[in-house]
Amino acid sequence: MSRFVLVGGGQVAAVAARTLRRRGYDGEIVVIGEEPHRPYQRPPLSKEYLAAGDESALDLLPEEWTDTQDVEVRVGTRVLKVSAADGAVLLDDGSSLAADAVLLGTGARARRIPGIDGPGVFHLRGREEADALRAALTPGTRVVMVGGGFIGGEVASTAVGRGAEVTVLEAGPVPLAMAIGPRLGAACARLQQAAGVDVRVDTAVTGVRREGERMVVSTTKGDLEADVVVVGVGAVPNVELAVDSGLDVDSGVVVDERCRTSLDRVYAAGDVASHSHPGLGRRVRVEHFDNASRQAAVAARNMLGEEVVYDEPHWFWSDQFGHNLQHVGHAAPTDRMVVRGDLDDDVWTAFFLAGDRVTAAFAVDAGEDIAVARELITSGIAVADEVLADRSADLFEALEELA
Ligand SMILES: Cc1cc2nc3c(=O)[nH]c(=O)nc-3n(C[C@H](O)[C@H](O)[C@H](O)COP(=O)(O)OP(=O)(O)OC[C@H]3O[C@@H](n4cnc5c(N)ncnc54)[C@H](O)[C@@H]3O)c2cc1C
């Protein structure tokens, strides 16, 4: 009987397992993850799970489903290597597993800053870290959030919700500027400030020291006291398995538009995959839930012998301070920005265009505009700035007329 091994036990493995069964694969499916948990999703870890510890939203592959679908889930098991000779998977208990195809969904881990560690310093990637951080977020706790990115914003939001006093340290001149540009980053920072967060820009953390009961965070702009420090400065892809297996690796595991690695019958998807994207004409590695899910489905179908390309525009969301933020596509630095609404308000959308084609969009509490932007990006339909900027116009209707 054929056997597919899905390495990682996260979003990628879960979606791939479901896709394989949905599309009729009747061979063995073995999901292998190094964490002690069955597959769970991470977005709630900085949101509702961090706030209240509700586990019900986490489960990606309920036991009932894996039992009825005959999918084996091995937890607490690390995959050390995929054999280039025969595709067999070597496990950390010394055993190996023959495989007809392997999917690497080994994800990423939280980036660490040397010297910023020890008691009271937290990172956030897994369940245990969320549990530990929640326990520390009590009313009146002084939290220093290192990093003004999306995860930083979400943790700040949840911490405020639990009654903490939050200071966000951003090394650059504007939070989120690298991701969405300085004007939009500043608008998002205003949402944080409106909720009472002290956002300090051009402020890099340089150290943490303990003076008796006190924790002192030193920064390029002086010292501040904290009870809790959370480091949210990005993620590092877990490429060790790929490297040890001899796969091509750059900023992640190199895959083509079909999620194929440099080794036959070995695929990669999700946060770890540096994928060749036809819409962009280059390789890119992204750390979004939607990318992991869609890529995993594409990889699974290709494992089954279909010829499917992953060419979706990248999309992600973030929930913070009572607002829903969404982004789709990729803007080039030279793209023009057209704002629908007013960046000083709570609801707005910024479209990015090259000529008369939308390349990307970012919205606060306007997810419907992101749906339209996705259509415009994938269809390549030309659109005038005035149509996008006109708040009284129904963009869905406009899209229908343009199509
Ligand atoms: C706190 C947090 C909040 C997030 N919020 C959002 C959000 O709001 N919106 C959004 O779009 N995205 C969000 N994301 C990103 C999203 O969760 C990730 O993009 C997604 O989890 C990636 O899935 P993955 O399967 O590639 O990797 P992961 O979910 O990281 O799973 C990979 C698993 O592989 C395991 N592993 C690694 N190496 C091995 C090995 N050799 N053997 C066995 N197992 C191994 C890892 O331990 C891990 O359990 C968030 C992420 C975090 C951490």
Side-chain angles (χ1 to χ4, degrees):
M1 189 195 281
S2 150
R3 177 189 291 145
F4 289 172
V5 175
L6 311 177
V7 183
Q11 187 71 27
V12 163
V15 172
R18 288 184 180 280
T19 307
L20 289 170
R21 282 293 183 249
R22 200 177 309 121
R23 299 191 80 83
Y25 177 63
D26 61 3
E28 277 184 47
I29 300 176
V30 186
V31 172
I32 304 178
E34 66 182 356
E35 290 192 63
H37 309 288
R38 289 177 57 84
Y40 66 93
Q41 57 171 334
R42 293 175 202 279
L45 299 185
S46 48
K47 309 177 185 72
E48 57 269 37
Y49 185 74
L50 180 60
D54 177 9
E55 294 186 0
S56 61
L58 296 186
D59 200 358
L60 282 172
L61 284 183
E63 227 162 330
E64 194 190 341
W65 185 86
T66 48
D67 285 352
T68 55
Q69 297 293 321
D70 197 16
V71 170
E72 184 186 348
V73 177
R74 292 195 197 179
V75 302
T77 307
R78 186 171 172 79
V79 176
L80 299 179
K81 193 173 175 177
V82 181
S83 161
D86 58 7
V89 170
L90 176 66
L91 308 180
D92 61 357
D93 62 4
S95 67
S96 75
L97 204 57
D100 296 282
V102 179
L103 173 59
L104 306 186
T106 50
R109 55 182 175 269
R111 186 185 303 281
R112 293 177 183 250
I113 306 175
I116 313 298
D117 48 26
V121 177
F122 297 81
H123 299 83
L124 185 55
R125 183 74 198 182
R127 284 179 68 157
E128 285 78 7
E129 290 162 319
D131 291 337
L133 179 56
R134 184 187 323 103
L137 295 178
T138 49
T141 304
R142 294 163 303 172
V143 176
V144 169
M145 180 72 228
V146 180
F150 288 105
I151 295 284
E154 293 189 352
V155 171
S157 169
T158 303
V160 167
R162 286 180 63 85
E165 293 168 21
V166 182
T167 302
V168 171
L169 304 184
E170 166 57 43
V174 183
L176 297 172
M178 294 285 281
I180 53 176
R183 274 184 72 195
L184 304 188
C188 291
R190 285 196 287 277
L191 301 178
Q192 304 193 9
Q193 286 157 335
V197 174
D198 180 359
V199 181
R200 301 192 188 181
V201 297
D202 289 322
T203 308
V205 66
T206 52
V208 173
R209 63 182 191 278
R210 282 140 196 104
E211 295 174 353
E213 293 290 295
R214 299 165 68 223
M215 178 155 59
V216 180
V217 181
S218 42
T219 79
T220 48
K221 291 210 171 154
D223 288 353
L224 64 157
E225 277 193 36
D227 304 304
V228 165
V229 173
V230 187
V231 180
V233 292
V236 179
N238 295 322
V239 296
E240 292 75 7
L241 167 59
V243 170
D244 292 345
S245 306
L247 305 185
D248 287 351
V249 170
D250 54 15
S251 64
V253 181
V254 172
V255 296
D256 66 7
E257 64 283 356
R258 292 181 189 163
C259 302
R260 296 179 296 199
T261 70
S262 53
L263 193 58
D264 192 33
R265 305 296 292 153
V266 178
Y267 300 76
D271 285 12
V272 79
S274 168
H275 59 278
S276 190
H277 194 283
L280 294 173
R282 62 182 163 89
R283 268 203 301 274
V284 63
R285 190 180 69 77
V286 296
E287 296 162 2
H288 310 325
F289 176 93
D290 183 64
N291 172 70
S293 306
R294 289 176 190 260
Q295 248 183 7
V298 165
R301 292 176 63 183
N302 286 321
M303 289 165 88
L304 290 171
E306 296 181 43
E307 304 255 309
V308 194
V309 164
Y310 175 72
D311 58 1
E312 300 282 337
H314 297 121
W315 171 81
F316 70 86
W317 85 98
S318 172
D319 293 319
Q320 44 184 282
F321 303 100
H323 299 284
N324 173 254
L325 283 45
Q326 293 192 32
H327 184 275
V328 66
H330 281 267
T334 48
D335 288 353
R336 197 171 69 259
M337 187 168 87
V338 174
V339 177
R340 183 178 176 82
D342 186 334
L343 297 185
D344 285 324
D345 289 343
D346 279 357
V347 179
W348 48 262
T349 303
F351 293 93
F352 293 85
L353 294 99
D356 52 13
R357 313 288 151 137
V358 171
T359 57
F362 180 78
V364 174
D365 289 332
E368 64 282 3
D369 290 352
I370 295 295
V372 172
R374 178 188 272 275
E375 288 287 319
L376 289 168
I377 294 167
T378 47
S379 63
I381 292 172
V383 60
D385 291 10
E386 304 77 66
V387 173
L388 297 173
D390 180 2
R391 245 178 139 174
S392 63
D394 181 324
L395 280 186
F396 283 106
E397 273 177 23
L399 181 64
E400 270 175 30
E401 279 166 26
L402 290 167

